[in-house]
């Protein structure tokens, strides 16, 4: 079988990443994983290439291992490969790490990690063996990354199957306590997670022993965890309770205290993980006070790390006043406010602290626990005075601060809150001034988002909302292209009932502005868009809109197709209102548009609306114009449909099984070769012509459409037969339909030619569906037996001129050299044998390859075949003793598995 070079594998990995499903569907799916594993065992490729190949198993495990059996086989192969790689260089240690990650990924992703899986047992034993090499005693410092990777893999397994290591806590504790190298962090995180999951599992299931026995356990894996549900949520923790004995609580306290005392040695992220795991474990043990974390709070209150700040808030949300006093809460709030405006911190970190203020877990919250955002009671306009937004801040900071300050002002009272509202309104109006001075799309988006936030909180206050309304009207008067922004603002405001009053006032003011401006064709489309949106609201009077439309039609300046479509959308929305505003004037308006508009499409649509308005009642008119709405049955003449069952039947496709027709293969493959070049051409020129790129060849198969149904009506005559083909894979282009005018039981079968366009020359199966009409006028469908396209059906003779035997033998030799694996054509080579006696070999070759033999002599045959779309196969058959040796060369190595199976099947058949 042909093999790729290092560059070939790099190209294959890149192709796989670009489109994995397409890569596997083009013939590589059956052999790709096997080749990948084989190359990983070899020594031809460098470590970097092998690592990039392993990342495919990490990123696409279910694509490469579609079922549990495949996952177990791949994991077993990777285990064997890991055993071959002994401790060596740092680069090879990294490769071994990737192997450990790949094994865990494959076993978990394919649901293969179970008690019945031998590879899972061996993999777990390997991980334990690796993590037992404490302080680099056996493997040295170069093996430390492998031990860390083993810890991470055990932690991943414990995360996927909580409680898996719950009966080995004493072993994990001993390893964590003895490890003093930089790998200590991985051992600590592994033990913390296992301890947390074990305690939660004990509290959830009960009857599994005591807490003390759990802490001292040294047994094997808990395989039941692989069949249970996943991790517990924080909400579920409140429903769990564990009441151990005082002695067990003392042991737990000693373990937790030891982990907390040494946690300062860990990184910030690792500390946050460990604190959260231990906090969840302690929260379940109701007899253990959370005051055990108090010493850590004193240390963490002085840090500015984001992860540790988040850990503090997690502890506060879990334990509230059991751990945090009122003074602690006030200090934490002041610290968050200070960090949210600290000039040395980047913008994303300050936004994080602002979000922490919006979701601050109070000791005794006054609001509902289901609210998305709520402020602590201690947060007032005075304490947040430094958080007012500025003009030179980024959009995210401005909007986040504005949202926070609006909440503060809404929940506060007094003159300080009123002054703060004035400051916020002034800031929003200033942003509007930037838009008026041509601030660009960024300034426009910022202003309208800020305006929406302000209206969301203060929409019921008349004075500030009146100023904001005047600002919005002034902006639209200056630039009508802001119509989509205003429409979007109105849509969002109407979603909240409390701001509906202000939105209605803005809508009427905007309507008055639009109908009062002079008619200008360049702004007409924007004005009509605004009126079309306002026409949907029944609470907005539409009299002025109708006057504007009549004035527009009378002026004759209706614009082009786009303006005409928007004008008709205004009319459509008006037609859907109940009661209908001025139906007579609206009908006159539509009639005038249908007669005077320059665009024929607009005229036709206006005429259609006029017809509907003049002939349908209000209820039917609303049902017809409703976008995607359900139309009542009586609006579709249900009485006629109900009285005509034949009409319903004629619109239905009736399935029929078994099918009354069948496709029957006629003869063997009759594929013809291409037009050969001139006979006087030399051998080298012909080889170059044969292997050069050209239009893909097609595959033609002949079938007879045979009538198989009863010879009596209605199936004795099938009319308008349409055969549709669906390929079972993606190796072929879509197959065109075949149509037969009629198929009768009294007439001979019809001969049909099915033309296939292979993308890759692989065997396939075609599902066939027939659609036809019987004599009573009903349309019926049937699924026919699938059509098998075998591998020999793809063979085509080479287009060889009428040359002599000697010249054909030279031709075969030249092609054989060109398809050598080391040649420029990058061919592939293989070898197989036939256990065929010399006297039986000629008949075997004649029966199956007579059309493809280029040259022969005593006991030797040289065979050449072409396969669509443009591939070639050469066979050199030689009789050796009581067997025949078949040499194979091809320009597509993916054909070798199918070709070898076909060649062996010939011998088995004989």
């Amino acid at each position: 079988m042909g093999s790729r070079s290092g560059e070939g594998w790099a190209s294959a990995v890149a192709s796989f990443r670009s489109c994995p499903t397409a890569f596997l569907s083009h013939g590589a799916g059956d052999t790709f994983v096997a080749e990948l594993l084989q190359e990983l065992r070899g020594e031809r490729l460098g470590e970097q290439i092998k690592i990039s190949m392993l990342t495919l198993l990490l990123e696409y495990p279910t694509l490469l291992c579609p079922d549990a059996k495949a996952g177990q086989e791949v994991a077993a192969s990777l285990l064997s490969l890991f055993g071959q790689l002994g401790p060596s260089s740092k680069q090879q240690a990294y490769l071994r790490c990737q192997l450990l990650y790949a094994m865990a990924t494959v076993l978990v992703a394919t649901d293969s990690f179970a008690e019945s899986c031998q590879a899972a047992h061996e993999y777990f034993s390997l991980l334990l063996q690796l993590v037992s090499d404490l302080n680099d005693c056996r493997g040295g410092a170069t093996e430390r990354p492998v031990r860390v990777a083993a810890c991470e893999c055990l932690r991943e397994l414990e995360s996927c199957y909580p409680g898996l290591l719950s009966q080995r806590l004493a072993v994990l504790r001993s390893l964590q306590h003895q490890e003093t190298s930089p790998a200590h962090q991985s051992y600590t995180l592994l033990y913390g997670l296992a301890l947390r999951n074990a305690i939660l599992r004990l509290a959830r299931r009960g009857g599994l022993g005591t807490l003390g026995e759990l802490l001292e356990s040294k047994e094997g894996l808990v395989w039941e965890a692989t069949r249970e549900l996943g991790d517990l949520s924080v909400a579920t923790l409140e429903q769990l309770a564990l009441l151990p004995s005082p002695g067990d609580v003392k042991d737990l306290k000693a373990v937790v205290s030891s982990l907390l005392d040494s946690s300062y040695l860990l990184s910030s992220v690792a500390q946050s993980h460990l604190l959260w795991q231990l906090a969840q474990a302690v929260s379940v043990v109701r007899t253990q006070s959370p005051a055990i974390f108090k010493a850590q709070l004193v240390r963490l209150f002085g840090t500015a790390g984001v992860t540790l700040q988040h850990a503090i808030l997690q502890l506060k949300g879990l334990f509230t006043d059991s751990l945090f006093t009122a003074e602690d809460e006030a200090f934490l709030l002041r610290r968050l406010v200070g960090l949210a405006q600290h000039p040395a911190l980047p913008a994303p970190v300050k936004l994080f602290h602002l979000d922490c203020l919006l979701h601050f877990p109070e000791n005794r919250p006054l609001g509902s626990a289901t609210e998305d955002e709520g402020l602590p009671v201690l947060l007032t306009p005075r304490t947040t005075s430094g958080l007012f937004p500025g003009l030179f801040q980024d959009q995210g900071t401005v909007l986040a601060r504005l949202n926070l300050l609006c909440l503060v002002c809404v929940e506060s009272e007094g003159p300080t809150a009123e002054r703060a509202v004035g400051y916020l309104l002034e800031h929003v109006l200033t942003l509007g001034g930037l838009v008026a001075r041509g601030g660009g799309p960024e300034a426009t988006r910022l202003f309208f988002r800020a305006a929406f936030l302000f209206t969301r909180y203060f929409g019921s206050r008349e004075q500030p909302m009146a100023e904001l309304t005047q600002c919005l009207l002034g902006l639209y008067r200056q630039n009508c292209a802001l119509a989509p922004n205003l429409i979007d603002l109105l849509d969002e405001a109407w979603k909240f009932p409390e701001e509906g009053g202000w939105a209605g006032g803005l809508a009427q003011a905007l309507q008055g502005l639009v109908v009062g401006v002079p008619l200008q064709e360049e702004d007409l489309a924007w004005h009509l868009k605004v009126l079309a949106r306002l026409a949907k609201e029944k609470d907005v009077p539409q009299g002025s809109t109708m006057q504007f439309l009549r004035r527009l039609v009378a002026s004759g300046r209706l614009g082009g197709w786009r303006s005409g479509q928007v004008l008709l959308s205004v009319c459509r929305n008006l037609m859907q209102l109940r009661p209908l505003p001025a139906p007579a004037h609206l009908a006159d308006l539509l009639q005038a548009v249908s007669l005077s508009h320059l665009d024929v499409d607009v005229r036709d649509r206006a005429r259609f609306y006029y017809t509907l308005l003049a002939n349908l009642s209000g209820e039917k008119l609303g049902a017809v114009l409703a976008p995607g709405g359900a139309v009542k049955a009586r609006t579709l003449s249900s009485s006629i449909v109900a009285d005509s069952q034949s009409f319903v039947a004629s619109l239905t496709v009736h399935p029929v099984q078994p099918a009354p027709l069948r496709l029957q293969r006629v003869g063997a493959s009759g594929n013809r070769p291409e037009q050969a070049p001139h006979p006087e051409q030399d051998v080298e020129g012909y080889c170059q012509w044969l292997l050069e790129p050209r239009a893909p060849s097609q595959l033609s198969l002949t079938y007879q459409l045979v009538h198989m149904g009863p010879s009596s009506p209605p199936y004795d005559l099938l009319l308008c037969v349409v055969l549709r083909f669906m390929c079972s894979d993606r190796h072929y282009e879509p197959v065109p339909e075949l149509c037969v005018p009629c198929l009768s039981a009294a007439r001979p079968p019809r001969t049909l030619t099915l033309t296939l366009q292979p993308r890759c020359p692989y065997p396939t199966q075609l599902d066939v569906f027939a659609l036809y009409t019987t004599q009573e006028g009903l349309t019926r469908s049937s699924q026919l037996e699938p059509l098998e396209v075998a591998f020999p059906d793809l063979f085509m003779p080479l287009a060889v001129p009428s040359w002599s035997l000697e010249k054909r033998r030279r031709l075969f030799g030249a092609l054989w050299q060109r398809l050598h694996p080391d040649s420029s054509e990058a061919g592939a080579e293989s070898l197989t044998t036939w256990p065929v006696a010399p006297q039986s070999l000629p008949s075997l070759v004649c029966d199956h390859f007579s059309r493809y033999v280029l040259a022969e002599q005593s006991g030797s045959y040289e065979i050449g075949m072409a396969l669509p779309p443009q591939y070639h196969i050469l066979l050199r058959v030689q009789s050796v003793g009581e067997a025949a040796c078949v040499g194979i060369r091809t320009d597509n190595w993916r054909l070798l598995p199918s070709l070898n199976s076909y060649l062996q099947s010939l011998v088995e058949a004989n």
Side-chain angles (χ1 to χ4, degrees):
M1 180 178 294
S3 58
R4 296 186 178 96
S5 61
E7 295 181 358
W9 272 107
S11 176
V13 170
S15 301
F16 185 94
R17 288 181 181 279
S18 63
C19 190
T21 53
F23 182 88
L24 294 177
S25 65
H26 281 76
D30 300 334
T31 60
F32 182 69
V33 177
E35 295 168 20
L36 186 146
L37 295 174
Q38 180 180 356
E39 290 295 341
L40 287 174
R41 291 177 177 273
E43 299 180 357
R44 295 190 315 109
L45 303 181
E47 304 297 333
Q48 289 293 341
I49 294 295
K50 290 184 178 181
I51 290 172
S52 66
M53 293 160 65
L54 278 175
T55 56
L56 298 183
L57 289 172
L58 292 171
E59 298 175 12
Y60 308 96
T62 53
L63 273 177
L64 297 175
C65 307
D67 52 36
K69 181 181 178 182
Q72 295 177 16
E73 293 175 351
V74 170
S77 180
L78 294 178
L79 277 168
S80 175
L81 175 59
F82 187 90
Q84 295 178 5
L85 299 175
S88 183
S89 63
K90 182 178 179 180
Q91 186 70 14
Q92 197 166 32
Y94 186 66
L95 175 61
R96 299 176 73 203
C97 294
Q98 297 301 310
L99 281 171
L100 292 177
Y101 296 144
M103 284 184 272
T105 303
V106 169
L107 287 173
V108 173
T110 59
D111 295 328
S112 302
F113 194 83
E115 188 173 8
S116 59
C117 177
Q118 181 63 28
H121 286 272
E122 295 178 3
Y123 178 59
F124 181 72
S125 300
L126 173 64
L127 295 179
L128 287 184
Q129 178 185 351
L130 292 173
V131 299
S132 299
D133 179 21
L134 296 174
N135 301 311
D136 308 322
C137 292
R138 294 195 302 268
T142 57
E143 281 295 287
R144 187 181 303 158
V146 181
R147 293 197 298 120
V148 173
C151 287
E152 294 300 320
C153 291
L154 285 173
R155 191 155 69 100
E156 185 67 23
L157 292 175
E158 177 65 23
S159 299
C160 296
Y161 310 109
L164 181 69
L165 301 173
S166 60
Q167 296 299 322
R168 299 189 66 91
L169 290 183
V171 176
L172 296 178
R173 173 60 177 159
S174 175
L175 295 175
Q176 183 268 338
H177 185 70
Q178 298 178 56
E179 180 65 37
T180 58
S181 73
H184 173 78
Q185 175 172 289
S186 298
Y187 284 82
T188 302
L189 291 178
L190 173 60
Y191 178 68
L193 178 62
L195 176 65
R196 176 256 191 195
N197 288 342
I199 294 177
L200 296 187
R201 189 169 186 270
L202 180 63
R204 180 172 57 178
R205 293 173 62 89
L208 298 178
T210 64
L211 180 58
E213 295 173 352
L214 196 66
L215 295 174
E216 299 298 328
S217 58
K218 298 181 180 180
E219 302 176 12
L221 290 182
V222 181
W223 290 103
E224 294 180 5
T226 61
R227 300 186 292 270
E228 296 176 355
L229 296 176
D231 201 359
L232 291 172
S233 64
V234 179
T236 313
L237 291 177
E238 300 177 357
Q239 306 172 8
L240 299 179
L242 195 62
L243 302 174
S245 64
D248 293 346
V249 173
K250 184 178 179 180
D251 294 340
L252 176 64
K253 183 177 180 181
V255 171
V256 174
S257 298
S258 175
L259 291 173
L260 292 175
D261 291 342
S262 61
S263 63
Y264 71 94
L265 298 172
L266 310 180
S267 67
S268 298
V269 177
Q271 288 184 58
S272 177
H273 277 286
L274 182 63
L275 284 172
W276 181 234
Q277 291 162 3
L278 297 180
Q280 293 180 80
V282 171
S283 68
V284 172
V285 183
R286 300 303 169 89
T287 53
Q288 172 61 54
S289 170
I292 193 174
F293 295 97
K294 197 68 177 179
Q296 299 302 316
L297 291 183
V298 177
R299 178 174 64 88
L300 295 178
F301 273 152
T303 182
V306 175
T307 54
L308 296 179
Q309 287 287 336
H310 187 261
I312 296 175
L313 294 174
Q314 282 184 312
L315 291 176
K316 192 173 190 314
L318 190 60
F319 295 118
T320 62
D321 56 355
S322 300
L323 180 60
F324 290 79
T325 63
E327 291 77 12
D328 294 335
E329 186 176 68
F331 174 79
L332 187 55
L333 273 174
R334 290 195 301 271
R335 183 163 180 78
L336 287 175
V337 172
L339 292 173
Q341 55 184 315
H342 200 288
L345 294 178
V349 176
K350 290 189 281 190
L351 288 176
F352 165 76
H353 291 107
L354 285 173
D355 195 65
C356 291
L357 289 173
L358 287 175
H359 302 87
F360 188 81
E362 290 185 275
N363 286 346
R364 289 180 171 82
L366 298 179
S368 171
T370 60
E371 292 181 357
D372 291 336
E373 296 178 350
L375 291 179
V377 177
L378 299 177
L379 210 59
T380 63
R382 187 177 300 278
T383 59
T384 58
S385 58
L387 293 177
F388 276 86
L391 292 177
F392 301 104
Q393 297 165 343
D394 60 280
Q395 286 196 26
T397 302
V398 170
L399 295 175
R401 289 190 173 193
L402 182 63
N403 184 41
L404 177 68
L405 269 296
C406 287
L407 267 174
V408 171
C409 295
V410 165
E411 298 185 5
S412 303
E413 297 179 354
T416 305
E418 293 299 326
R419 286 196 300 271
V421 174
Y423 292 149
L424 294 176
L425 175 62
E426 182 180 353
H427 178 75
V428 174
L429 296 180
T430 304
L431 294 178
L434 293 178
V435 177
R437 287 188 288 273
E442 294 292 332
T444 302
R445 283 194 292 269
L446 178 59
F447 166 69
F448 278 96
R449 290 175 180 175
F452 168 70
L453 285 176
F454 190 84
T455 59
R456 181 179 176 184
Y457 294 106
F458 307 109
S460 58
R461 303 192 182 188
E462 294 184 4
Q463 188 271 333
M465 297 314 298
E467 294 187 39
L468 182 58
T469 300
Q470 292 303 317
C471 177
L472 291 169
L473 294 178
L475 289 175
Y476 182 76
R477 187 182 294 108
Q478 179 182 349
N479 184 8
C480 296
L482 295 176
N485 303 85
L486 282 167
I487 292 173
D488 185 59
L489 179 62
L490 286 172
D491 289 338
E492 295 299 323
W494 266 314
K495 292 179 181 179
F496 299 92
E498 57 271 16
E499 290 98 47
W502 171 80
L506 175 63
Q508 295 188 30
L510 192 59
Q511 183 188 48
L513 173 63
V514 169
V515 300
V517 297
L519 295 176
Q520 296 180 0
E521 189 170 346
E522 59 270 15
D523 298 331
L524 178 60
W526 299 120
H527 294 330
L528 291 176
K529 281 181 180 293
V530 172
L531 294 179
R533 177 60 187 91
L534 301 183
K536 296 181 179 180
E537 300 299 322
K538 61 181 180 180
D539 297 330
V540 178
Q542 302 298 332
S544 57
T545 298
M546 291 295 300
Q547 294 177 5
F548 176 82
L549 296 179
R550 289 201 300 271
R551 183 159 58 95
L552 176 63
V553 173
S555 68
R557 291 179 289 182
L558 299 179
W561 177 87
R562 190 178 300 277
S563 298
Q565 296 296 326
V566 182
L567 170 62
L568 292 179
S569 66
V570 179
C571 298
R572 176 185 179 127
N573 293 339
L574 291 173
M575 292 166 64
Q576 292 180 270
L577 291 176
R578 295 294 172 268
L580 192 64
H585 295 298
L586 186 56
D588 294 340
L589 179 68
L590 289 170
Q591 188 178 30
V593 173
S594 67
L595 295 175
S596 59
H597 202 281
L598 298 178
D599 188 85
V600 62
D601 182 47
V602 175
R603 293 200 304 268
D604 290 344
R605 188 176 169 192
R607 190 176 299 110
F608 173 67
Y609 284 165
Y610 173 77
T611 304
L612 293 178
L613 183 61
N615 294 278
L616 295 182
S617 64
E619 183 182 359
K620 292 183 179 181
L621 183 62
V624 170
L625 296 178
V631 181
K632 294 185 178 180
R634 61 190 182 91
T635 64
L636 294 177
S637 304
S638 60
S639 58
I640 300 176
V641 176
D643 294 338
S644 179
Q645 296 297 328
S646 61
F647 177 72
V648 176
S650 64
L651 296 179
T652 305
V653 177
H654 305 270
V656 176
Q657 289 297 337
L661 64 168
R662 180 169 63 91
L663 280 174
Q664 181 176 314
R665 183 71 178 272
V666 178
S669 175
N671 300 314
R672 296 183 178 180
E674 301 180 63
Q675 183 66 34
H678 198 275
E680 297 180 358
Q681 188 175 15
D682 60 351
V683 171
E684 287 299 325
Y686 173 79
C687 290
Q688 182 177 357
W689 172 84
L690 185 66
L691 299 177
E692 69 183 7
R694 61 171 58 86
S697 56
Q698 295 180 337
L699 178 65
S700 298
L701 303 177
T702 305
Y703 292 88
Q704 282 189 342
L705 185 59
V706 182
H707 192 286
M708 300 294 295
S711 57
S712 58
Y715 297 104
D716 58 335
L717 182 61
L718 307 180
L719 305 173
C720 301
V721 181
V722 178
L723 299 177
R724 295 174 178 171
F725 305 89
M726 184 174 297
C727 193
S728 59
D729 48 50
R730 300 183 180 179
H731 300 322
Y732 288 74
E733 298 288 346
V735 184
E737 298 177 347
L738 294 180
C739 300
V740 178
C742 70
L743 182 65
S744 173
R747 296 179 183 177
R750 298 293 298 267
T751 301
L752 305 176
T753 300
L754 181 62
T755 302
L756 304 179
Q757 178 65 66
R759 296 189 181 116
C760 294
Y762 296 113
T764 189
Q765 177 177 286
L766 298 176
D767 295 325
V768 187
F769 301 90
L771 196 68
Y772 51 91
T773 303
T774 51
Q775 296 184 61
E776 73 269 37
L778 298 182
T779 302
R780 303 182 184 272
S781 66
S782 300
Q783 181 171 359
L784 280 62
E785 296 179 0
L787 303 180
E788 299 290 341
V789 180
F791 190 63
D793 293 333
L794 302 168
F795 297 166
M796 295 187 299
L798 296 179
V800 180
S802 54
W803 284 344
S804 64
L805 178 61
E806 179 62 27
K807 197 170 183 180
R808 293 163 71 94
R809 184 176 292 112
R810 286 167 43 208
L811 168 63
F812 183 88
L815 290 174
W816 188 263
Q817 291 299 323
R818 282 180 174 265
L819 296 186
H820 192 277
D822 296 332
S823 68
S824 59
E825 302 293 339
E829 186 175 25
S830 184
L831 187 68
T832 188
T833 58
W834 283 341
V836 178
Q839 59 271 20
S840 302
L841 182 60
S843 62
L844 178 61
V845 174
C846 181
D847 291 343
H848 300 284
F849 300 102
S850 59
R851 301 177 60 206
Y852 317 113
V853 175
L854 293 180
E856 64 176 294
Q857 54 186 357
S858 58
S860 176
Y861 299 88
E862 295 177 342
I863 302 170
M865 297 176 290
L867 287 82
Q870 193 177 350
Y871 298 108
H872 305 85
I873 291 177
L874 300 179
L875 303 178
R876 176 171 278 170
V877 184
Q878 293 179 340
S879 181
V880 181
E882 293 300 317
C885 178
V886 183
I888 304 170
R889 286 189 183 179
T890 177
D891 50 5
N892 185 354
W893 60 269
R894 296 187 180 93
L895 299 177
L896 294 175
S898 299
L899 178 60
N900 186 68
S901 299
Y902 170 66
L903 294 177
Q904 295 302 322
S905 67
L906 298 182
V907 180
E908 295 173 1
N910 287 339

